[in-house]
Amino acid sequence: METREKILLEAVKLFASAGFGAVTVDRIASAVGIKAPSLYKHFKSKRDIFQSILSEMERRDAENAESFSLPADTAENDPEGYQGIPVTALLGFCREMFVYWTEDEFASAFRRMLTVEQYRSEEMNRLYHQYLGEGPLQYTADLLGSYDEALTLYAPMHLLYGIYDSAGDKQAVTARLEQHLKTWYKERTGGNDNELSEK
Amino acid sequence: METREKILLEAVKLFASAGFGAVTVDRIASAVGIKAPSLYKHFKSKRDIFQSILSEMERRDAENAESFSLPADTAENDPEGYQGIPVTALLGFCREMFVYWTEDEFASAFRRMLTVEQYRSEEMNRLYHQYLGEGPLQYTADLLGSYDEALTLYAPMHLLYGIYDSAGDKQAVTARLEQHLKTWYKERTGGNDNELSEK
DNA sequence: ATTATAGGCTAATAATCATTAGCCGTCAAT
DNA sequence: ATTGACGGCTAATGATTATTAGCCTATAAT
C-alpha cells in the first residue's frame, strides 16, 4: 500500500477511537511506521489529513454507489426510480450496507470517527446524519412510503452497528441482523414479495 | 448552584461536544467563570473531574430509579418482578426515558459524552452499552420475552436520541417518537392492553 | 552520467497545556 | 478579636505537540 493511503487508514482508525483532537501526529506516524515530520511530505497539516479522509470516503462512496441495485438519488430528484422495486431487493441492500459499515476496514473506522466527531461542528453533524442518521432513514422512508416503517427497518441496523463494534462474537450480531430482517419482512408482507410502490 | 456542581455540568457539556482529550482545563474554567488553577481547589486533576461526572451520573441514576414504576433489576435476578406489567406501562416508561435522556441537561450531555468516548477504552465501552446500548435493549427484551420485538421498540428510540440532538424542531422529534410508540403498540397488541407476561 | 524529485530522517522552535506554588480576602467558629 | 479553612487569584514550570528547517538516499528522467 502507498504511504499516503496507509496514513489515511491509520489516521482514520486512530481518530475513530480517540477523536481528532486527542490523536497526536506522532501516534499517526508511528502507526504508519515513519516519523512525524515525514507526514508533512504527504499532507500539509494534521487537519489536512482529516479533510483528506472525508474526501477519500466521498470517493469510495461514489465508487460503491454504481455497484448497488437501488436508486442512489433521493426521492424528490428521481421519483421514477422508486417504482417497481421488490421488498427483497431492499432487504438485500440492507445486508450489503451492514456488511459494508461493519466489515470494510476503512468504512467501519470512518463510521466510528463520524460517531465520535458528530458534536464537534455543524459540518460533522451534517456528515454524520447524511451517512448514518437521517440520511439512510429518509432514503428508506422514501422507498417504503412510510416514515414509521422506515424506523422499524433502519433503526435496528443502526443500533446493531454499535453493538457489532464491541461484540466478542461478531457472527452472532450478523445473525441478529438477519433475524431482524426476516421478521420485519414477514410482519410487513405476510410473505409476499410485493413491490414497494404497491404498498 | 455550588461551584463544584457547576464545574461538573460545564465539563460534561464540553466533553460531550469535543471529547475529554480535546477539552482544556482553561475552557472548563472559563465556562464556569473562574480561572483554571481554581479548579484544583475542587478536583485533584482533569481526570478526576471526568471520574466525578461518572459518579454523579451513577448517583442521579440511583435516585431516579426509585421514582419509576418498572422493575430496576434484571430479569435473572428478579424474575417475579416481570409478571403482570401492562404494555401501556412499558410505553410510559419509554416516554419517561426519552424525555430524560434528551431534555435533562446533565443526562443529555452525559449521553453525548458517552457516545463520543465509547471507543476510547474498555470501560467507556461498557458504560455506553450499559446506559444506552445493549443494557436497555436487553432490559426491554426481558420484559417482552423477545429480542426481536425489543429491537423494534428500543432501536428507534436510540436513533431518535441522535436526531433530537441536532433537530431544529425538537417538538417534531418528540412527535415522531410518539407516533412510533403508538404504531408499535397497535401492531403488537391489536389494541388490547395485554400484560407482558401473557405474550 | 547528471540531475531532479520524492520521501525518509534528526534537530529545533514556538505554542499550548496540566499542574503547582504561593498569595489574598471572606467568613464562620472559637 | 483571632483563627483557620475555603476558594478565588497571578505567576511559574515542565511536558507535550504541531510544524519547520535542513540534510541524506534512492530512483526515475534527461
Side-chain angles (χ1 to χ4, degrees):
Chain A
M1 185 161 30
E2 291 301 315
T3 301
R4 195 193 135 93
E5 282 177 63
K6 196 165 180 203
I7 292 169
L8 291 180
L9 177 59
E10 296 302 327
V12 72
K13 288 198 284 186
L14 287 168
F15 291 159
S17 54
F20 176 83
V23 172
T24 68
V25 291
D26 255 293
R27 293 210 33 162
I28 299 173
S30 89
V32 174
I34 60 180
K35 300 293 179 178
S38 301
L39 291 176
Y40 292 81
K41 300 290 182 173
H42 302 272
F43 300 95
K44 61 189 226 294
S45 68
K46 184 184 167 191
R47 182 137 248 120
D48 184 32
I49 296 178
F50 185 81
Q51 296 291 344
S52 300
I53 289 170
L54 301 185
S55 306
E56 174 66 12
M57 187 68 219
E58 209 171 352
R59 198 187 62 73
R60 288 172 183 239
D61 206 44
E63 196 176 278
N64 283 346
E66 298 174 13
S67 70
F68 290 145
S69 38
L70 292 187
D73 217 329
T74 64
E76 287 141 38
N77 298 337
D78 181 20
E80 316 84 46
Y82 285 69
Q83 305 300 319
I85 298 170
V87 178
T88 49
L90 174 59
L91 295 186
F93 181 67
C94 287
R95 283 186 197 95
E96 273 183 294
M97 284 288 100
F98 193 82
V99 169
Y100 182 61
W101 286 115
T102 54
E103 291 178 20
D104 181 275
E105 197 179 13
F106 189 88
S108 166
F110 184 83
R111 169 177 57 79
R112 284 175 281 130
M113 185 185 87
L114 275 191
T115 302
V116 309
E117 294 291 328
Q118 68 179 309
Y119 300 114
R120 190 177 314 238
S121 71
E122 194 49 56
E123 195 204 350
M124 284 302 109
N125 200 265
R126 220 197 67 243
L127 285 173
Y128 174 79
H129 279 103
Q130 173 191 315
Y131 281 105
L132 298 165
E134 291 185 282
L137 180 59
Q138 189 58 53
Y139 178 79
T140 308
D142 287 344
L143 286 172
L144 292 172
S146 156
Y147 189 86
D148 241 36
E149 277 189 288
L151 260 184
T152 63
L153 177 59
Y154 178 66
M157 291 180 59
H158 183 267
L159 179 55
L160 288 173
Y161 289 151
I163 289 177
Y164 184 95
D165 289 328
S166 59
D169 183 1
K170 312 261 186 202
Q171 186 55 42
V173 181
T174 308
R176 279 186 188 178
L177 173 80
E178 197 52 46
Q179 175 65 26
H180 160 63
L181 293 178
K182 282 206 168 78
T183 310
W184 186 88
Y185 178 59
K186 201 152 58 174
E187 288 282 323
R188 184 194 147 88
T189 65
N192 296 325
D193 188 8
N194 298 314
E195 292 178 358
L196 293 176
S197 57
E198 293 181 3
K199 166 85 205 316
Chain B
M1 185 161 34
E2 293 300 314
T3 300
R4 195 192 135 94
E5 283 177 62
K6 195 164 180 203
I7 292 170
L8 291 180
L9 177 60
E10 296 301 328
V12 73
K13 289 198 284 186
L14 287 167
F15 292 158
S17 53
F20 176 83
V23 172
T24 68
V25 291
D26 255 294
R27 294 210 38 189
I28 299 173
S30 90
V32 174
I34 60 180
K35 301 293 179 177
S38 301
L39 291 176
Y40 293 81
K41 299 290 181 173
H42 302 273
F43 301 94
K44 61 188 226 294
S45 68
K46 184 185 168 190
R47 183 137 247 118
D48 185 32
I49 296 178
F50 185 81
Q51 296 291 344
S52 300
I53 289 170
L54 301 185
S55 306
E56 174 66 11
M57 188 67 219
E58 209 171 352
R59 198 187 62 73
R60 289 173 182 238
D61 204 44
E63 196 177 278
N64 282 347
E66 298 172 14
S67 71
F68 289 144
S69 39
L70 291 187
D73 216 329
T74 64
E76 288 140 37
N77 298 338
D78 181 21
E80 316 84 47
Y82 286 68
Q83 305 301 318
I85 298 170
V87 179
T88 49
L90 174 59
L91 296 186
F93 182 67
C94 287
R95 283 187 197 95
E96 273 183 294
M97 285 288 100
F98 192 82
V99 170
Y100 181 62
W101 286 115
T102 55
E103 290 178 20
D104 181 275
E105 198 179 12
F106 188 89
S108 165
F110 184 83
R111 169 177 57 79
R112 283 175 281 128
M113 185 186 86
L114 275 190
T115 302
V116 308
E117 294 290 328
Q118 66 177 309
Y119 300 115
R120 181 157 341 212
S121 71
E122 194 50 57
E123 195 204 351
M124 284 301 109
N125 200 265
R126 219 198 69 243
L127 285 173
Y128 174 79
H129 279 104
Q130 172 190 317
Y131 281 105
L132 298 165
E134 292 184 282
L137 181 59
Q138 190 59 54
Y139 179 78
T140 309
D142 288 343
L143 286 172
L144 292 172
S146 156
Y147 189 87
D148 240 38
E149 276 189 289
L151 260 184
T152 62
L153 176 58
Y154 179 65
M157 290 179 59
H158 183 267
L159 180 55
L160 288 173
Y161 288 151
I163 289 177
Y164 184 95
D165 289 327
S166 59
D169 183 1
K170 312 261 188 201
Q171 185 55 41
V173 181
T174 308
R176 280 185 187 179
L177 172 79
E178 197 53 45
Q179 174 65 25
H180 159 63
L181 293 178
K182 282 207 167 77
T183 309
W184 186 87
Y185 178 60
K186 201 152 58 172
E187 288 280 324
R188 185 194 146 86
T189 65
N192 296 326
D193 188 7
N194 298 313
E195 293 178 356
L196 293 176
S197 56
E198 294 182 2
K199 166 84 206 314

